[in-house]
Amino acid sequence: MAQPNAEIRHLLARTGFGMAKPEEIDALSGRPYAEAVERLLDSVSPRPHLTTPDWLNVPLLAQIEANLPKEKRDAMQMERRDDQRELKAWWWAEMLNTPRPFTEHMVLFWHNHFTSAVNKVNRPELMFKQTALFRTHAIGNFEKFVKAAAKDPAMLVYLDTNSNRAGNPNENFARELMELFTLGEGRGYTELDVREAARSFTGWRVVTGNTNAGFKVEGTLHDGGTKKFMGRTGRFDGDDIIDIILEQPQVAEFITEKLWLNFVNDAPDPAEVQKLARQFRDSKYELRPVIASILKSDAFRDPDNRGALVKSPTDLIVGTFRVIGTPPANPSLYPAVGRALGQDLLDPPNVKGWPGGLAWIDTSLLPARNAFMHGVAAGVDVQATGKQTLATQARRDMKNLPVTVIDSAKVKSLNAMPADQLAELILPVSPAGGIAAPAGSGKLGTLLLDPTFQLK
Amino acid sequence: MNRRDFLRTAAVAPLVSFVPFNLAHAAARWDRILVLIELQGGNDGLNTVVPYADPKYAEYRPTIKIGRDRILQLDERLGLNPELAPMMKLWQSKQLAVVNGVGYPDPNLSHFRGIDIWHTGTDSNEAATVGWISEVFKHGEAPPVDFAADGIVVGRGSVGPLKAPDRRILVLENGGAAAMNEAKRMAAPAMGGGGNAALAHVLQTQQSFKMSSAAVLAKNVDKVDPGATFPAGDFGAQLAMAARLLGGGVQVPVIKATLGGFDTHATQLTDQSPLLNQLGAGIAAFSDAMKKHGLWDRVLVMTYSEFGRRPRENGSGGTDHGTAAPHFIAGGKVKGGIYGQQPSLTDLEDGQNLTHTTHFRSMYATAAQEWWGIPTPFIKEKPLGLIAT
C-alpha cells in the first residue's frame, strides 16, 4: 500500500462516512483534484447497491385499509414492526456495502433535512420510498426535489398533510416547509404566511392504492379560496406556495449554509456562503454544481480544515467497518448500535433531525462512543491474534456485534503498514496520543482509540 | 430588563443595586434541589387543567373535551384531567401549585424555537446558547465545586436548561450503568487540542464526564432503595433514578427528567391520556420516595413544555401548536393552590390562541430567588411567592 493521498482521503472522508478504504483513495488519486471531485459526483446513482427487501412489493397498504378483523390487523401490525426493523437493517447494510458511499452520504443528508420518522409514519414501505426519492434527487434539482418531497407519502403522513383539510387546516407541514426545508427559522415569513400556506396544502393525500402508494389532491378537501402569502394574493395551491418561497434569496443561502456545515466546518464564512448561494440560485437550484464548488473551495481544501468536524455516530460505525470490517452477516444488529451512539437512522429525534456538529459529542453521548471504540479495539485484538480472551467484552461494548464483523485479513494488512502511513490512513490529523489499547490490537488499535479518530 | 440589557448595565453599575434587599448577602441554599420535568412536544393545557365551567371549552372541543363528570375539581372553575388523579393527594395536602397561563409575549409556535426560548430563558426575539439555569449559576452563584455535578439529566432528554460549555452535566440513561463503566476505564484525558476546536471539545467533554462520574460512583446509587413504586416505563424509571441519586446522597442542585409524546396533532384523547397518567403517577411516587428519604422539604418539582396547544381542536381529533399553558410546581415547602389567571377563552390572540397571564420566567425567578436564594437581577419577572418560609 502506497502513501495515502491526504487530500483525496479528506475528500472521501467528508463525502462518505468519515474515512475511506485504501483502494477508494487509490482509485481517485493520480489526477487533478478537480477531476477527482467530478468523478465522485459522477458516481451518484439512484439505484441502491443491494437488492431491495421483497416485502416492498407486497400490497400492504391496501390490505390494511380494508376492514379486516382485529386479529388480522394486529398480525399485520406485527409484520410491519418486523418490516420496520428489516428496513433499518437494510439501509445500514447498504451504507456498509455500497461502492458508492457518496450516494448514501447524500441520502442521509436529505433524511436529516426532509425529515420523517418511521415511528410516526408506521409504514416502512413508505419510508423506503422516501429514501429512494432522496437517492433520485441526491444531487439533482432542489426545486423539483422540494415539490416531490412535499408530495412524498411518508412526508404527507409525518407532517400531517394527510389530515389537512379545508376549513380545518393543519399547519404542521406548512410551518416546517418554511422553517426547516427552505427559508430557515424566522427568515422572512410570518405566522399568517404559515396559516395561508397550510390552507394551500389542504386536500393533499396519500393514495393507498395497490402496490404503490402515491399522491393525489382530494378536490373536496382542498381550500380553493384566495390566499394572501408573502405579499401575494391568489388561489394558490401547494406548488404555488413552493414557487413563491423559492423566489426568496434566503432559500439558497439556507441550503448552501447547510451544505457547508455538512461538508466543510462548523463556522461558515458568510461571504463565501453568499457567493455560493448566488451560484446555486442562478443555476435555478441545481445541487451538483454548488456541491462541486464547495468541495473545490479553498476552505474545504485548507489542510487546517482536516479533522475540524466531529464524526456522526453513522460515520463512526459505517466508516470504521467499511475500512476494517467484513460484509455484515447480520445487518439487523447495526440499528441498535446507531441508537446507542445517538443516531437511530429512520427515527430522528424530531422533525429538525440530528443537530450534528459538536453536539454529536456531549457528556451523554461520549461514554457510548468511547465504549464502542473500546469494543472495536478489543475485536481487533481478537481478530489479529486469534485469542478469544476479549471477545465477550468486544461484543458487549460493540452493542452485540460479534468480533467477526472485523476482518482479520484487513487488520493484519493494516498493522503491517509503516506507522506513519497507517496513521495517515486512519486519522484525519496527527494522533493526540496517550492511549492504552489492548496489546494484541497493535498500531491499529491505538489509532482507533485516539481522540482524533472521533474527528473527520 | 432582558439578558442583553443586564450585561450592558452590569459593566457600569454595581451588581448589588439590583439585589432585592431581603436577599442581599444571603447564602444560596445548596441543600435544595430543583427537579425539572420537560413535557416534550407541547402539552395541551386545556385538557390538563380543564376550565370545565367555561362553555367555550366544550364548544372549542366537540370531540376531545374531557367530560365535566370526569374532572377532578380544583375550584369552581378549574379541574384536573382524571389521569392526574394520583396528584390529588398533593393538592389536598396543599403541596401542589397550579400555575395558570404560563407563556411569554410574541410566542413562537415552533417546537425547536419554542423549547429554545424556554431552555435559555430569553425573550421571543432573542437567541442565546446558554441554558437558563447555567445563566443563574454564572451570574448569580455557582454550585459548590465539591458537588458531584451541576446537573444530572436522567434518561435520554436534552441538557436544555443546563446547557453551557463549562458546566458539569451528567446524563445517566437507563440507570447510568453504562456511563459509570465507561468512566471507570477512561484514561485521564490529555488537554488542549492544538487550536482544533473540535478536538478541544472532545477532550474537555471527556474530562468533565470523568470527574462527575467518579463523584456519583462513590455513592453506589444502584444499591439505594428508590423509596417508592414508580410507574412502569421509561419516565417512571427516570424518576426512580432521580430518587436513588438523591436518596443515596449524590450532591447535585438540578435533576431533569423528560416525558415525550405530547405533540398531539391527531387522536389527542388516545395519545395524551397515558402520558398524563405517567406524569401524575410519577410525581406522586416521587413525592412518596422523597418523603421516605426525608428529602421532600428539600425538593422542588417543576414541569415545563415548549408551548401549550390551540383551544380549538383541529380536523384530526387533535390540537395544533399553541401558546400559554398551565404548569405544576410541587414540593414539601410549596404553598399549594392556584397561581395566575386562567387565560380568557373568548379573547383569543389572532382569534386563535390563548394570551399568557404568567411569564414563564416567573417560574425561573421562583426557583432561583425563592428556592435557592440566588439574586437574579437578569430575570426581570417576579417570583410567584409560593415557597413557604
Side-chain angles (χ1 to χ4, degrees), chain B residues 143-190:
Chain B
V145 286
D146 60 348
F147 268 31
D150 297 326
I152 296 181
V153 177
V154 284
R156 220 182 287 183
S158 78
V159 298
L162 293 155
K163 195 172 174 63
D166 51 354
R167 288 284 152 220
R168 300 165 303 154
I169 312 305
L170 205 53
V171 181
L172 302 178
E173 207 179 309
N174 298 325
M180 293 298 118
N181 281 340
E182 196 48 38
K184 279 181 200 164
R185 70 175 166 189
M186 196 181 274

Side-chain angles (χ1 to χ4, degrees), chain A residues 1-3 413-424 443 447:
Chain A
M1 245 171 269
Q3 183 83 11
S413 137
L414 292 169
N415 262 332
M417 284 173 74
D420 57 337
Q421 287 185 24
L422 181 64
E424 283 180 36
K443 298 183 297 244
L447 295 172

Side-chain angles (χ1 to χ4, degrees), chain A residues 256-257 260-261 264-276 299:
Chain A
T256 304
E257 188 179 84
W260 180 293
L261 291 168
V264 188
N265 58 37
D266 292 332
D269 176 335
E272 283 301 304
V273 169
Q274 283 285 340
K275 212 168 76 188
L276 291 159

Side-chain angles (χ1 to χ4, degrees), chain A residues 173-187:
Chain A
F173 176 74
R175 181 181 308 281
E176 308 308 5
L177 170 67
M178 287 179 265
E179 176 178 322
L180 297 176
F181 302 160
T182 56
L183 291 163
E185 200 264 312
R187 297 200 216 186

